[in-house]
Amino acid sequence: MLLVLDNNNCIVKYSVIGGLSDSDVVEFDDEKLPEDFDVKFQPLFYKLENDEIVENPDYVVPDITVPNDPTNSDKAVAALTLQMAKQSEKQDKFNAELLLKLAQLGGNK
């Protein structure tokens, strides 16, 4: 088994099959894993201490709250994106009409 550790020996990610492209990979005997390692695993939840994997006593569940209301900048980005999409649609329609006219002119020779 391969582990990627941070500066505090907390496990950031692991691989049981295959390799990891990270530069600081540590080999670990998967026979010594805690029984529920794969079920409980979260980045930084476990750490490597004295060649044992233990729960990180300093682990804090990440705050992943999502704001309920979009900010003014979110609204502005959405409005600009919509405006650009409409402009692109108009340009595509113009290009299609132009190509159709050119094709019709070419057939009249």
Side-chain angles (χ1 to χ4, degrees), residues 6-95:
D6 69 1
N7 294 338
N8 298 317
N9 284 343
C10 294
I11 302 172
V12 177
K13 60 184 172 179
Y14 72 97
S15 175
V16 178
I17 301 172
L20 293 168
S21 61
D22 301 81
S23 58
D24 298 328
V25 177
V26 175
E27 288 190 42
F28 186 79
D29 180 6
D30 57 351
E31 298 290 322
K32 296 163 68 177
L33 282 176
E35 190 172 310
D36 53 359
F37 177 83
D38 58 336
V39 176
K40 286 181 158 182
F41 182 82
Q42 293 289 321
L44 309 177
F45 181 78
Y46 288 104
K47 69 186 305 184
L48 185 63
E49 284 185 350
N50 301 321
D51 201 36
E52 284 187 47
I53 293 179
V54 296
E55 289 186 18
N56 177 5
D58 300 322
Y59 178 75
V60 177
V61 177
D63 180 17
I64 52 171
T65 56
V66 177
N68 292 333
D69 297 322
T71 64
N72 287 338
S73 62
D74 291 336
K75 291 176 186 176
V77 168
L80 285 172
T81 302
L82 180 60
Q83 182 180 0
M84 289 171 53
K86 286 180 180 178
Q87 186 63 35
S88 177
E89 186 178 312
K90 287 179 187 176
Q91 187 67 46
D92 289 347
K93 183 177 179 184
F94 173 80
N95 289 344

Side-chain angles (χ1 to χ4, degrees), residues 90-106:
K90 287 179 187 176
Q91 187 67 46
D92 289 347
K93 183 177 179 184
F94 173 80
N95 289 344
E97 290 172 355
L98 184 61
L99 286 171
L100 181 60
K101 286 182 183 180
L102 288 172
Q104 289 170 348
L105 287 175

